[in-house]
Amino acid sequence: SFFGILECEVIAPKRMYIGLIHCRDKTTTCVPRGHWKGVITSVEYYKAIDFGYRINVLRGISYKSDYIFKDYVDKTK
């Protein structure tokens, strides 16, 4: 499956009291409701779809997912 960062148009479900996807608005963190445009990760995308968000992907950047700290974690055990 796709793993990366996506620029999207998002429509949050009306029934959600507290939104799932957070974003930065100049100086604060906010949870937008309704229709908005922003950048999210693929992990947020898949979870948002499960919660009923409608998302139109405009463009994205994919990258390989890997467990890059495996050697470090193994050494600390």
Side-chain angles (χ1 to χ4, degrees):
S1 68
F2 177 82
F3 195 76
I5 300 172
L6 305 164
E7 181 181 7
C8 305
E9 292 178 333
V10 179
I11 300 174
K14 291 181 180 180
R15 69 182 186 280
M16 291 195 82
Y17 179 69
I18 299 175
L20 178 69
I21 302 174
H22 293 89
C23 68
R24 185 106 173 125
D25 183 19
K26 297 192 185 195
T27 59
T28 61
T29 301
C30 62
V31 182
R33 297 172 78 179
H35 182 267
W36 54 277
K37 183 177 173 183
V39 177
I40 62 174
T41 67
S42 56
V43 174
E44 291 172 310
Y45 171 83
Y46 294 126
K47 188 54 77 175
I49 295 297
D50 290 344
F51 278 84
Y53 280 74
R54 293 191 340 230
I55 301 174
N56 177 34
V57 177
L58 303 173
R59 59 184 161 179
I61 299 173
S62 66
Y63 50 89
K64 181 182 172 192
S65 172
D66 200 1
Y67 189 53
I68 61 174
F69 296 107
K70 183 178 182 338
D71 293 337
Y72 175 76
V73 171
D74 289 344
K75 287 179 185 177
T76 59
K77 287 183 179 181

